[in-house]
Amino acid sequence: MQVHSASPEELLASLEEAAQPLLFPSESDHPLRPFRWDGGDVPSPSALRAARGAAAETPVEVTTVGDFFAPVLEPAEEAGDAALTDAGRYRQLVALLEAHLTDLRVYRVGSVDIDVYVLGRHPSGAWLGLRTKVVET
């Protein structure tokens, strides 16, 4: 069975729908938004700094989708029903990313007030995914 590959626009719409009710938890919760990387070929730390208008010494951490989403995919038992419902939504969101994108990685740009980009390569060659913000003091 061949899986239909969604166009970049279809995938961005699906990501927006899947992420709609979710806020990524940190010291200040922020929504996950669909994102298309238009900064050239492969998103690199220097290109991400430039796109954000950040200084050359701004830290950029690259991590995996699994590591980034781990806290929301398996919430603690005492977290309650809402966290368990959200965990299911996060699992669907990660599955959507993994089904349609390759070379998935997460870029965390900055410190304290951190811009997060979850990006992968679409079959069309475009880099697509999600962006959000986390606050860690």
Side-chain angles (χ1 to χ4, degrees):
M1 180 175 110
Q2 186 172 0
V3 175
H4 166 71
S5 180
S7 73
E9 291 72 25
E10 290 169 332
L11 180 57
L12 289 170
S14 295
L15 289 170
E16 181 164 11
E17 185 178 322
Q20 190 61 48
L22 299 170
L23 293 175
F24 198 83
S26 70
E27 291 179 38
S28 178
D29 299 348
H30 288 274
L32 293 143
R33 301 267 188 241
F35 184 73
R36 177 193 302 260
W37 171 250
D38 291 323
D41 247 355
V42 177
S44 68
S46 59
L48 286 160
R49 280 187 205 99
R52 184 180 188 229
E57 63 274 6
T58 301
V60 177
E61 177 189 345
V62 182
T63 188
T64 67
V65 169
D67 285 348
F68 178 69
F69 283 107
V72 294
L73 293 178
E74 299 297 332
E77 277 187 36
E78 64 272 7
D81 290 342
L84 293 175
T85 300
D86 283 352
R89 289 185 177 126
Y90 276 111
R91 280 192 286 278
Q92 290 176 332
L93 189 60
V94 169
L96 185 62
L97 291 164
E98 291 176 338
H100 293 281
L101 302 172
T102 58
D103 299 323
L104 270 168
R105 49 188 81 116
V106 177
Y107 302 88
R108 295 167 41 99
V109 183
S111 56
V112 181
D113 191 9
I114 303 166
D115 288 322
V116 178
Y117 302 91
V118 180
L119 294 171
R121 187 184 298 271
H122 183 268
S124 69
W127 286 88
L128 307 173
L130 300 164
R131 72 175 181 199
T132 191
K133 188 177 283 288
V134 295
V135 177
E136 299 173 351
T137 55

